């Protein structure tokens, strides 16, 4: 088995999940046909694998690739041995500098996981509080089981077990990626159709007819594209041979093509179908088409299912009828992504979600109204209290006015005498002494 230069391709075929190629082992023996002028080699394009530990995986791979001993062992280890952990044992023989850097990367990743777990705990506690539920104990082991790609019991150093876990986790996760991606795309397509149908319900007959005509015209424009060569067929390889390599298609030779190329690009095929500038071309659908092409080629050529293509597998595939006389390739618009039954179940599920959302909205509206009512009561009590305070202040001012008037008459001297009682004065003789 020959391997490509990037360890990403050796171990896990990481980049093949999202880019427009399927990886083939490379030989430097370029014979029989003079190859085009070579360009300076570039590092493999960094492509996100979609894994939540993608950065950690990529950094570990980058540093392992720098160690000559590990790189040599990698070139002589087949995929099955890698999956079984034989390559991980070679970690004990890498340089001290690489091991030190790997230790540092692991400590950083453990620290990131701690922050992530703490955030999940806060989120669960917040959800329980918002639903007026008693707080429940967080199962730390259940959380940690989501991070099987490293040994969290030893947070300080990167050991053989860490590399073994990383390889096995990434392999398993990437094998599940295609299935999850297809399901996600199916939901995307059904949501598009659901929204289109819902829009039609809001239109009158004339506008609905016009909308349907526009939709049919867009589908027609999208389907009007040059012939798509079957991915991995002789016709497609010849197209790459001629357009990418600048070679005469009459001189096409599969063995030389294999030596020239580490990957078979489907981008030229996709460019025939999709143009970002066209309204009718959906770039999400383009990515799904790319994935379908890669999967098809791997299913046809990768006979031992190790997610790599050997020279023997490639040459054997070129002898098959599917390579020489392939069937017409069905693009997405010619394929049935979902059934009407699936669409019906999807819309029923959406309806249930809509009902739940409406119920929740009603509950929130009632809570809002209750809070507003309570706020109004508080405001009324506040106004009554303020009025009572103002009334008391008014009474105080009224009581103080007579006193202030008396002080003004006596020039600020002694307090004025109380007024004479008329009844007492009537019973006294005019000559009665004043002291009586």
């Amino acid at each position: 088995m020959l391997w490509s230069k990037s360890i990403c391709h050796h171990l896990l075929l990481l980049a093949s999940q999202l880019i427009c190629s399927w990886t083939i082992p490379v030989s430097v023996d370029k014979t029989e046909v003079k190859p085009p002028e070579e360009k300076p080699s570039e590092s493999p394009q960094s492509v996100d694998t979609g894994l939540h530990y993608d950065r950690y995986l990529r950094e570990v791979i980058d540093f392992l690739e720098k160690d000559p001993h590990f790189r040599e062992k990698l070139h002589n280890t087949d995929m099955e041995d890698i999956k079984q952990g034989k390559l991980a044992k070679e970690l004990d023989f890498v340089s001290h500098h690489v091991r030190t850097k790997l230790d540092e990367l692991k400590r950083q990743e453990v620290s990131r996981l701690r922050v992530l777990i703490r955030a999940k705990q806060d989120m669960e506690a917040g959800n329980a509080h918002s639903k007026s539920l008693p707080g429940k104990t967080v199962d730390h082991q259940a959380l940690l089981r989501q991070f099987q790609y490293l040994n969290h019991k030893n947070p300080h150093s990167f050991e053989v077990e860490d590399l073994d876990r990383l390889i096995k986790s990434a392999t398993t996760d990437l094998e599940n990626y295609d299935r999850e991606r297809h399901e996600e795309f199916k939901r995307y397509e059904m949501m598009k159709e659901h929204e289109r149908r819902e829009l039609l319900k809001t239109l009158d007959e004339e506008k609905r007819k016009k909308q349907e005509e526009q939709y049919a015209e867009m589908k027609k424009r999208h389907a009007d594209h040059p012939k798509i060569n079957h991915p991995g067929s002789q016709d497609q390889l010849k197209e790459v041979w001629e357009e990418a390599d600048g070679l005469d298609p009459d001189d096409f030779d599969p063995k030389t093509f294999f030596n020239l190329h580490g990957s078979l690009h489907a981008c030229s095929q996709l460019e025939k179908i999709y143009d970002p500038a066209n309204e009718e071309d959906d770039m999400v659908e383009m990515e799904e088409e790319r994935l379908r092409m890669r999967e098809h080629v791997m299913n046809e050529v990768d006979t031992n299912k190790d997610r790599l293509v050997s020279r023997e597998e490639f040459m054997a595939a070129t002898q098959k009828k599917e390579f020489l006389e392939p069937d017409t390739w069905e693009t997405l618009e010619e394929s049935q992504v979902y059934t009407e039954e699936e669409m019906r179940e999807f819309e029923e599920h959406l309806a249930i979600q809509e009902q739940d959302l409406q119920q929740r909205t009603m509950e929130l509206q009632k809570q809002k109204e209750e809070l507003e009512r309570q706020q109004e009561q508080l405001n009324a009590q506040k106004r009554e209290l303020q009025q009572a305070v103002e009334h008391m202040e008014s009474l105080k001012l009224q009581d103080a006015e007579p006193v202030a008037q008396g002080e003004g008459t006596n020039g600020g001297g002694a307090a004025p005498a109380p007024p004479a009682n008329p009844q007492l004065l009537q019973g006294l003789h005019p000559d009665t002494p004043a002291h009586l």
Side-chain angles (χ1 to χ4, degrees):
M1 174 85 60
L2 299 175
W3 305 89
S4 65
K5 292 184 178 180
S6 171
I7 191 171
C8 297
H9 294 163
H10 307 313
L11 295 180
L12 309 168
L13 202 61
L14 302 178
S16 68
Q17 300 297 334
L18 298 176
I19 58 176
C20 60
S21 64
W22 47 277
T23 302
I24 302 177
V26 178
S27 169
V28 296
D29 181 21
K30 302 176 180 179
T31 60
E32 298 184 20
V33 177
K34 184 178 179 180
E37 183 179 353
E38 295 186 359
K39 298 179 181 180
S41 60
E42 298 179 357
S43 301
Q45 182 182 6
S46 177
V47 180
D48 192 345
T49 62
L51 303 177
H52 69 87
Y53 51 92
D54 173 81
R55 179 175 178 178
Y56 174 68
L57 172 65
R58 200 171 298 281
E59 289 177 339
V60 168
I61 289 174
D62 287 344
F63 273 92
L64 284 173
E65 196 177 20
K66 295 176 182 178
D67 184 84
H69 171 81
F70 192 90
R71 187 166 56 248
E72 180 183 356
K73 289 295 181 180
L74 174 67
H75 291 169
N76 297 306
T77 306
D78 61 33
M79 179 57 70
E80 194 58 36
D81 287 341
I82 291 175
K83 291 180 179 180
Q84 293 177 0
K86 294 183 179 180
L87 182 65
K89 297 177 181 179
E90 299 298 327
L91 182 68
D92 289 334
F93 303 100
V94 303
S95 67
H96 175 72
H97 169 71
V98 172
R99 289 296 296 269
T100 300
K101 185 59 181 179
L102 293 176
D103 293 344
E104 180 183 345
L105 291 176
K106 181 179 178 180
R107 288 193 292 270
Q108 293 174 354
E109 183 67 5
V110 170
S111 177
R112 186 184 74 87
L113 293 184
R114 286 173 177 168
V115 173
L116 184 59
I117 291 174
R118 191 177 302 114
K120 287 191 174 185
Q121 292 174 338
D122 294 342
M123 185 180 299
E124 290 184 3
N127 290 338
H129 178 72
S130 64
K131 297 179 181 179
S132 301
L133 297 176
K136 60 180 180 179
T137 303
V138 177
D139 187 348
H140 292 81
Q141 293 303 317
L143 285 173
L144 291 173
R145 279 194 292 272
Q146 302 177 37
F147 311 114
Q148 291 293 331
Y149 59 93
L150 53 72
N151 178 16
H152 57 81
K153 295 181 179 179
N154 171 21
H156 306 295
S157 59
F158 189 95
E159 305 295 341
V160 171
E161 181 181 357
D162 291 291
L163 182 55
D164 186 45
R165 282 172 174 254
L166 186 60
I167 292 174
K168 291 179 179 178
S169 294
T171 301
T172 301
D173 293 342
L174 287 175
E175 286 174 351
N176 294 332
Y177 180 87
D178 288 348
R179 183 181 68 256
E180 295 172 357
R181 175 70 178 269
H182 283 311
E183 288 301 316
E184 180 182 350
F185 177 74
K186 182 187 293 185
R187 290 191 295 271
Y188 171 80
E189 288 291 292
M190 288 191 292
M191 180 59 76
K192 276 180 57 176
E193 177 61 17
H194 170 74
E195 292 176 348
R196 189 185 74 84
R197 294 179 182 182
E198 290 299 305
L199 174 61
L200 293 177
K201 292 178 183 179
T202 65
L203 304 178
D204 58 35
E205 184 176 355
E206 182 180 353
K207 292 182 178 179
R208 188 184 306 115
K209 182 179 179 180
K210 184 177 180 180
Q211 184 71 22
E212 290 281 23
E213 291 174 351
Q214 291 176 349
Y215 178 70
E217 178 62 25
M218 287 179 60
K219 291 185 65 175
K220 181 179 178 181
R221 289 200 306 267
H222 176 69
D224 184 17
H225 53 70
K227 175 187 174 183
I228 303 300
N229 290 321
H230 202 93
S233 67
Q234 179 175 243
D235 290 338
Q236 192 206 355
L237 300 194
K238 280 188 175 182
E239 184 176 353
V240 175
W241 176 276
E242 181 179 8
E243 296 182 2
D245 300 332
L247 301 175
D248 190 337
D250 293 334
D251 294 331
F252 175 75
D253 176 62
K255 181 179 179 181
T256 304
F257 184 93
F258 181 86
N259 293 337
L260 286 171
H261 292 275
S263 60
L264 174 59
H265 294 275
C267 292
S268 60
Q269 300 294 300
L270 293 170
E271 290 171 355
K272 296 177 182 178
I273 312 174
Y274 297 94
D275 184 347
N278 294 339
E279 180 185 8
E280 64 271 14
D281 296 340
D282 189 331
M283 295 300 102
V284 175
E285 293 178 354
M286 183 184 75
E287 289 302 315
E288 176 66 12
E289 191 77 76
R290 190 194 313 273
L291 180 62
R292 290 174 70 244
M293 289 181 175
R294 180 189 62 79
E295 282 182 343
H296 173 77
V297 171
M298 293 302 292
N299 289 334
E300 291 289 324
V301 183
D302 181 26
T303 55
N304 65 359
K305 305 304 177 184
D306 65 352
R307 301 177 68 81
L308 292 171
V309 177
S310 66
R311 179 194 298 272
E312 291 76 15
E313 289 174 325
F314 178 81
M315 295 305 298
T318 62
Q319 304 304 313
K320 296 180 180 179
K321 180 182 178 180
E322 292 81 359
F323 178 80
L324 300 172
E325 300 176 8
D327 297 331
T328 302
W329 174 254
E330 288 189 355
T331 56
L332 271 175
E333 73 266 10
E334 300 170 317
S335 305
Q336 187 176 19
V337 178
Y338 55 84
T339 64
E340 277 301 318
E341 177 64 20
E342 288 175 322
M343 185 66 190
R344 183 185 64 79
E345 294 177 356
F346 178 76
E347 291 190 316
E348 288 177 353
H349 180 67
L350 285 181
I352 293 175
Q353 288 184 323
E354 181 68 21
Q355 291 176 359
D356 292 342
L357 181 59
Q358 290 178 355
Q359 180 65 28
R360 182 58 179 160
T361 301
M362 291 175 60
E363 293 174 357
L364 290 175
Q365 181 63 29
K366 290 180 180 179
Q367 293 178 9
K368 177 184 177 183
E369 292 173 355
E370 177 62 20
L371 290 173
E372 290 176 346
R373 186 187 66 79
Q374 294 177 5
Q375 183 64 46
E376 184 60 31
Q377 288 180 344
L378 291 175
N379 291 340
Q381 293 175 2
K382 180 179 178 181
R383 288 192 297 269
E384 290 175 0
L385 180 60
Q386 186 174 0
Q387 290 173 359
V389 171
E390 292 175 352
H391 180 66
M392 291 178 64
E393 292 292 336
S394 175
L395 292 177
K396 287 182 179 180
L397 290 175
Q398 291 177 7
D399 291 343
E401 285 180 0
V403 176
Q405 292 175 359
E407 290 178 351
T409 304
N410 297 324
N421 190 329
Q423 295 178 354
L424 292 176
L425 294 178
Q426 289 177 0
L428 293 179
H429 191 276
D431 298 331
T432 302
H435 67 274
L436 294 177

